[in-house]
C-alpha cells in the first residue's frame, strides 16, 4: 500500500507577498495620477467615498462583530459613521491640495503627498480604522494599502473594495484603496520595509508599532492607551459616573482611549460608588475582584478572550453573576502599577478603581499607571477646578486630557473639539513621532518657494501662475480604471475622436513648427 | 578580473576575443560595429548590468521573454522549488506537470482543446505547421512578407529570405508569401484551396509592429475558413498579456485554429513553448501520439514555470499594471513625438507592445544607440530599421517608466546628431 500524504510535495512561493508587492506598484501608479488632481476633484471623490462608507456603516459593523467576536454592533456602526462624513466635515476647510501663497513672508507652499501609505487595521476597530485611514489618504491625495488584522480580514477586504469602487466611480484613478487578502507577520514585515512604501500608519499591538519604526520606512505609529480618569470631589458625581460608564461600555471598551483606571479621593468614595451603581456599574466585592483578576490576567497577561466582550459575559467567565443590564464591572483595588495587573490596558468593560487620600496622590497614581503602560496617550479629568485640571495635565505623560467628557469619544475627537481620529498620537512619551491626533495633514509635506527676504528683492505676483493640476482632465481620468475583463488598450493610431491628449499634442507640434520657422 | 567561479576572464576585451574565436564572430563584431558594446553581466528586475557595471533599463526583453523582468523572485522561487522534486522528465510518459500546465493553458484560451509542448518558439511553430498539414492533407503554407516565426526547417521557410536562402531552406513552391494588411492578396493565394495554413503574428514583431488594419485579421481568418485553410496565430510576442489581453488574438475577436506561444512562457528562466490547438487540429495525436517527439519539449521544469507564469498573469494586479504602463507610454510618447517631430514620426501601440517610427531608413539603429548611451536598451526591428521596438514589461512601476521617458528625452539630441552625421557617431 502506498503511503498517502496530502501535504504539498512542492513548496509554493508565498503568493500573498508577491501579490502585495504588485499592489504597491499599482498604488504607485494611482498616486502618480491622483497627485495632480485639484481640490474640487479631490473633495468630490472624498465625499463620494464617505457616502459609500456611511451607507455601509451598519453592514460592516454587523460583519466585524460577527467575524471578530468583539464589540457591539450599534456602537461600531456609530464609529463607522463618524469616520465618514463627520470626519470629512472636520477637515472640510483644510486645503492640502492647492498651493498657498504668502506675500507677507514672500513664500509659496506647494503640497506634496507622501505617496503610498501602508496601513494596519486592528481587530478591535477594523472598519472604523479602515474608513478613517482611507479618508485621511484621500484628503491628502495619497494611496493606501491595508493589511488588516487576520481576525478581521474578510470584512476589511470587502470594505476596501467597496470604497475603491466608489472612488473610481467618482473619478479617482484605480488602485488608491487596496487591501492585502492574506495578511501574515512576515508579509507585513516585508511590506513595511519596501522602498516603494512612503509611510506606514501603524495601529495595533506594541510589537507591530515597534516593527514599523524598525523597518527603515518613515512611520506614524501610536502606542497603547491606558487612560487614568480622575474624579474630583468637586465634580458633579452623577454626571461624571454617567459619562464614564457611557464611555467605558461603548463598543465593549475596545478603543485605546477608554478609561482604564478610575482614581478618586477616599473621602468621596461612598458618593461616587452610589453614582456609579445608579449609572449601571457593578462594583465588585473583594472576592469578585480576586476572581476577575485571575481570569482576566492569567499569569499576568491579558486574556484576549475578554477583548470586546460584555460585562455580564466576563463576570460569568470569571465566576460570578451580574444582571445582564450591568454595563461595566468596576474593580476596587488597593494599589496601582506593576503589581496590580488590573491597572493595565484591559480592552473590555472592566474599570479598575483606586482611591487616594489627596489630589496630589491621585495625580501621582495616574502617572504611575502611565509609566507602566499608556504613556503619551490619554487621561480624563472630571471636576470644576481649573487649577487642578491644569496641574493634572501638566504632571502627566499624556498629550490629551479630556475634561468632563467621556474619554473614549473625547480623546478621539468625537465629544470634544480635538480632531476626530482613530490614531491617537502618543508622541515622544509613547515612542511615536506624532503627539497629536493623526490627521491628513500628517501625510503631506510642503515644498516651499522662499524668496530673498531683503526688501529690495520683490516677490512677483503669483495670481497668474498655473497650479500643478491636470485640471478637469483629472475628473475624466476614470478611463484609467481597469475593466473587469482584460481589454486591449487602444492603439494610438485607432484612438478615434479628438481627445484632449491629441489636441495638446497638435498644439505643441504647431508651436514647434512656428518657432522653427523663425530661427 | 571577472571571476564567475566556473570560469573567469581578465577583462571584457578578453571575453570579446574568446567570443569571436569560439562562439560567433559575426554576431560579436556586429554589435561592436554598431557601437553597442553590451555584455550582460548581472540582471535583476527590468535592469541589465553590462560587464563594466553600467546599468541599462531593458526595453528589449528579448521579445517578451523577460515580460516579468529578469529573475523574477517568484519565478526563481518556483523553479528552485521545482528542482527539489522534478527534473526535465521523461517525454514518453504522461506527467503531472505537463497535464496540469496543458489544462491551465487550454483553459486560458477559449475554443482550444490540447496544448502540445516544445522548448522554443520555432519548435512550436514547427508543430503547428505539421499539424496543419496533417489536418488538411495539404502541403502549402502561406505567411506574410516580413513575417517572422523562427529558424527551424519549416518555420524559417515562412520568413524573410535573408534567413532561409543562406541555408538553402527557401522553398518557394511550398511557401507562399503575401503582403501584410492585404486581405485580397491572401484571398488570391488561398483560392485554389491547396494551402494548409496561414500563419501570422498577431502584430508582426520583427517587422516593427505595424498595426493590423481594422478588420484585417478577422478578414484573413474568414478567408481561411472559406478556403479550408487553417489560421495559425503566432503569439510568441503578442501573447501573455502584452496586448492587454492574455492572448493577442482575443483582443482582435479572433478564434484561430491554432496558436503558438513561447519566450515569456518560460519566465526567462526555463525554456518552454506550446502550440495550442482545437480538437479538430489535434486529431493526429489520436492516430499516432508519438508522431512528434522532442526530448526537451515540455520539460516538467518548464511546465511548472509556465503554469506559474499564466497564474501570475491572471492576477488583477498585473492586468491593472499593464493598463497603467500602456496609458503612461501612450501619453508620454505622444508628447515626446510632438517635441521631436523632425525625427520621431510615429507610434504604433497596442498594450505594452510599441513600435516607434523614425524618419530615416536606419533611424531606429541610431536611436537604439543613443538610448544605449543613455542607459536604456531597446532594439531596432531587424526587418524595418526605421522602427524601434519598445517593449516595456508588464510589472514596470511608475518610477521606472518615468525614468525611461526622462532618459529618452535626454537621448534625443544625440539621436538627431547620429542621424544627421552617422560618421560623427564614433
Ligand atoms: C513572433 C515569433 N515567432 C517565433 C519566434 C521563434 O522563437 P524561438 O527563437 O524561441 O525559436 C520568434 C523569436 O523571436 C518570434 O518573435
Amino acid at each position: 500500500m502506498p503511503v498517502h500524504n496530502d501535504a504539498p510535495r512542492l513548496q509554493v512561493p508565498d503568493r500573498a507577498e508577491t501579490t502585495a508587492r504588485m499592489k504597491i506598484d499599482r498604488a504607485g501608479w494611482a498616486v502618480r495620477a491622483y497627485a495632480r488632481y485639484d481640490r474640487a476633484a479631490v473633495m468630490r471623490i472624498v465625499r463620494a467615498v464617505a457616502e459609500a462608507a456611511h451607507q455601509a456603516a451598519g453592514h460592516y459593523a454587523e460583519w466585524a462583530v460577527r467575524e471578530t467576536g468583539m464589540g457591539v454592533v450599534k456602537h461600531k456602526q456609530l464609529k463607522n459613521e463618524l469616520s465618514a462624513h463627520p470626519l470629512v466635515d472636520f477637515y472640510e476647510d483644510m486645503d492640502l491640495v492647492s498651493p498657498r501663497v504668502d506675500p507677507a513672508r514672500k513664500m509659496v507652499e506647494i503640497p506634496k503627498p507622501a505617496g503610498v501609505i501602508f496601513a494596519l487595521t486592528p481587530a478591535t476597530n477594523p472598519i472604523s480604522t479602515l474608513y478613517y485611514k482611507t479618508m485621511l489618504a484621500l484628503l491628502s491625495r495619497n494611496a493606501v494599502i491595508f493589511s488588516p488584522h487576520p481576525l478581521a480580514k474578510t470584512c476589511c477586504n470587502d470594505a476596501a473594495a467597496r470604497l475603491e469602487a466608489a472612488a473610481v466611480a467618482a473619478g479617482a484613478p484605480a488602485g488608491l484603496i487596496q487591501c492585502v487578502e492574506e495578511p501574515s507577520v512576515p508579509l507585513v514585515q516585508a511590506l513595511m520595509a519596501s522602498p516603494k512604501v512612503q509611510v506606514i500608519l501603524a495601529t495595533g499591538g506594541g510589537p507591530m508599532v515597534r516593527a514599523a519604526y524598525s523597518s527603515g520606512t518613515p512611520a506614524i505609529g501610536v502606542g497603547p492607551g491606558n487612560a487614568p480618569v480622575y474624579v474630583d470631589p468637586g465634580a458633579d458625581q452623577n454626571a461624571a459616573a454617567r459619562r464614564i460608564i457611557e464611555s467605558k461600555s461603548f463598543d465593549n471598551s475596545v478603543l485605546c482611549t477608554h478609561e482604564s483606571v478610575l482614581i478618586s479621593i477616599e473621602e468621596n468614595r461612598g458618593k461616587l460608588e452610589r453614582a456609579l451603581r445608579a449609572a449601571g456599574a457593578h462594583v465588585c466585592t473583594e472576592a469578585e475582584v480576586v476572581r476577575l483578576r485571575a481570569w482576566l490576567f492569567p499569569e499576568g497577561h491579558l486574556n484576549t478572550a475578554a477583548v470586546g466582550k460584555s460585562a455580564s459575559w466576563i463576570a460569568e467567565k470569571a465566576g460570578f453573576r451580574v444582571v445582564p443590564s450591568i454595563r461595566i464591572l468596576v474593580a476596587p483595588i488597593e494599589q496601582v502599577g506593576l503589581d496590580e495587573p488590573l491597572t493595565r490596558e484591559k480592552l473590555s468593560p472592566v474599570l479598575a478603581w483606586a482611591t487616594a487620600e489627596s489630589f496630589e496622590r491621585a495625580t501621582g497614581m495616574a502617572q504611575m499607571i502611565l509609566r507602566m503602560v499608556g504613556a503619551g496617550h490619554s487621561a480624563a479629568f472630571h471636576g470644576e477646578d481649573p487649577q487642578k485640571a491644569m496641574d493634572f495635565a501638566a504632571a502627566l505623560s499624556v498629550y490629551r486630557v479630556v475634561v468632563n467628557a467621556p474619554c473614549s469619544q473625547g480623546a478621539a475627537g468625537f465629544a470634544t473639539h480635538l480632531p476626530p481620529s482613530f490614531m491617537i498620537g502618543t508622541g515622544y512619551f509613547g515612542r511615536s513621532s506624532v503627539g497629536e491626533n493623526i490627521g491628513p495633514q500628517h501625510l503631506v509635506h510642503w515644498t516651499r518657494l522662499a524668496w530673498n527676504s531683503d526688501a529690495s528683492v520683490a516677490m512677483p505676483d503669483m495670481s497668474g501662475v498655473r497650479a500643478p493640476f491636470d485640471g478637469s482632465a483629472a475628473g475624466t481620468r476614470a478611463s484609467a480604471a481597469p475593466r473587469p475583463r482584460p481589454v486591449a488598450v487602444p492603439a494610438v493610431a485607432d484612438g478615434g475622436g479628438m481627445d484632449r491628449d491629441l489636441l495638446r499634442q497638435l498644439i505643441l507640434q504647431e508651436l514647434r513648427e512656428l518657432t522653427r520657422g523663425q530661427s | 578580473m571577472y571571476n564567475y567561479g566556473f570560469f573567469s576572464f581578465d577583462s571584457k576585451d578578453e571575453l570579446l576575443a574568446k567570443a569571436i574565436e569560439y562562439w560567433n564572430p559575426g554576431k560579436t563584431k556586429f554589435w561592436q560595429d554598431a557601437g553597442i558594446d553590451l555584455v550582460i553581466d548581472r540582471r535583476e528586475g527590468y535592469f541589465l548590468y553590462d560587464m563594466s557595471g553600467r546599468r541599462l533599463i531593458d526595453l528589449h526583453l528579448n521579445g517578451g521573454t523577460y515580460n516579468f523582468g529578469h529573475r523574477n523572485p517568484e519565478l526563481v522561487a518556483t523553479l528552485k522549488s521545482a528542482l527539489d522534486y522534478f527534473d526535465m522528465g521523461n517525454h514518453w510518459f504522461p506527467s503531472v506537470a505537463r497535464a496540469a500546465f496543458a489544462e491551465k493553458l487550454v483553459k486560458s484560451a477559449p475554443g482550444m482543446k490540447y496544448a502540445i509542448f516544445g522548448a522554443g518558439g520555432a519548435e512550436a511553430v514547427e508543430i503547428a505547421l505539421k499539424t496543419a498539414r496533417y489536418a488538411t492533407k495539404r502541403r502549402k503554407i502561406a505567411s506574410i512578407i516580413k513575417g517572422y516565426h523562427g529558424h527551424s526547417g519549416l518555420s524559417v521557410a515562412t520568413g524573410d529570405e535573408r534567413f532561409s536562402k543562406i541555408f538553402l531552406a527557401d522553398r518557394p513552391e511550398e511557401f507562399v508569401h503575401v503582403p501584410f494588411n492585404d486581405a485580397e492578396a491572401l484571398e488570391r493565394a488561398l483560392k485554389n484551396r491547396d494551402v494548409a495554413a496561414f500563419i501570422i503574428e498577431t502584430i508582426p514583431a520583427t517587422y516593427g509592429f505595424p498595426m493590423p488594419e481594422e478588420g484585417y485579421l478577422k478578414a484573413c481568418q474568414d478567408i481561411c475558413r472559406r478556403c479550408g485553410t487553417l489560421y495559425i496565430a503566432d503569439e510568441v510576442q503578442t501573447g501573455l498579456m502584452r496586448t492587454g489581453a492574455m492572448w493577442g488574438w482575443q483582443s482582435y475577436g479572433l478564434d484561430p485554429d491554432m496558436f503558438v506561444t513561447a519566450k515569456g512562457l518560460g519566465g526567462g528562466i526555463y525554456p518552454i513553448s506550446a502550440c495550442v490547438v482545437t480538437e479538430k487540429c489535434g486529431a493526429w495525436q489520436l492516430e499516432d501520439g508519438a508522431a512528434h517527439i522532442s526530448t526537451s519539449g515540455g520539460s516538467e521544469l518548464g511546465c511548472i514555470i509556465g503554469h506559474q507564469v499564466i497564474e501570475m498573469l491572471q492576477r488583477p494586479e498585473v492586468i491593472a499594471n499593464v493598463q497603467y504602463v500602456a496609458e503612461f507610454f501612450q501619453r508620454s510618447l505622444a508628447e515626446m513625438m510632438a517635441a521631436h517631430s523632425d525625427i520621431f514620426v510615429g507610434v504604433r501601440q497596442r498594450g505594452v507592445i510599441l513600435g516607434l517610427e523614425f524618419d530615416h531608413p536606419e533611424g531606429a539603429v541610431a536611436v537604439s544607440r543613443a538610448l544605449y548611451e543613455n542607459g536604456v536598451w531597446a532594439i531596432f526591428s531587424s526587418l524595418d530599421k526605421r522602427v524601434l521596438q519598445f517593449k516595456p514589461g508588464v510589472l514596470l512601476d511608475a518610477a521606472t517608466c518615468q525614468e525611461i521617458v526622462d532618459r529618452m528625452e535626454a537621448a534625443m539630441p544625440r539621436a538627431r546628431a547620429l542621424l544627421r552625421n552617422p560618421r560623427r557617431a564614433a
Side-chain angles (χ1 to χ4, degrees), chain A residues 166-182:
Chain A
V168 169
L176 287 181
I177 307 157
Q178 299 177 85
C179 189
V180 167
E181 288 101 12
E182 291 299 332

Side-chain angles (χ1 to χ4, degrees), chain B residues 21-22 82 88 91 117 121 149 242 276 318 339 363 371 387-388 422:
Chain B
E21 189 176 352
Y22 296 109
M88 286 170 57
H91 60 291
F117 297 121
H149 306 285
R242 295 198 53 77
V276 187
V318 176
L371 284 175
V387 182
L388 185 77

Side-chain angles (χ1 to χ4, degrees), chain B residues 327-342:
Chain B
E327 274 170 35
F328 174 85
F329 284 115
Q330 179 175 345
R331 273 170 170 255
S332 41
L333 291 176
E335 278 168 25
M336 194 174 301
M337 189 163 67
H340 301 280
S341 56
D342 56 327

Side-chain angles (χ1 to χ4, degrees), chain A residues 474-516:
Chain A
T476 63
R477 201 86 74 65
S479 61
R483 291 66 162 181
R485 277 187 316 118
V487 189
V489 179
V492 174
D494 54 42
M498 291 279 267
D499 63 353
R500 289 179 56 92
D501 284 345
L502 197 57
L503 264 176
R504 205 159 88 199
Q505 168 196 334
L506 284 176
I507 293 167
L508 268 169
Q509 201 161 345
E510 220 156 85
L511 278 173
R512 241 188 97 76
E513 303 293 352
L514 276 175
T515 46
R516 190 178 304 149

Side-chain angles (χ1 to χ4, degrees), chain A residues 34-43 94-100 109-113 138-141 444 446 467-469:
Chain A
Y34 193 40
R36 296 187 64 83
Y37 278 35
D38 63 16
R39 169 106 170 127
V42 165
M43 290 314 286
M94 183 189 278
D95 185 345
L96 299 170
V97 175
S98 316
R100 304 195 282 234
E109 301 176 318
I110 307 164
K112 302 280 174 76
L138 293 178
L139 282 163
S140 54
R141 290 187 299 173
V444 174
W446 300 76
F469 300 129

Side-chain angles (χ1 to χ4, degrees), chain A residues 11 15 32 174 491 504, chain B residues 81 311 317 324 335 349 402:
Chain A
Q11 205 163 6
R15 179 190 156 153
R32 191 176 185 283
R504 205 159 88 199
Chain B
S81 168
E311 192 275 323
E317 289 81 7
Y324 268 123
E335 278 168 25
Q349 177 178 12
Q402 186 60 51

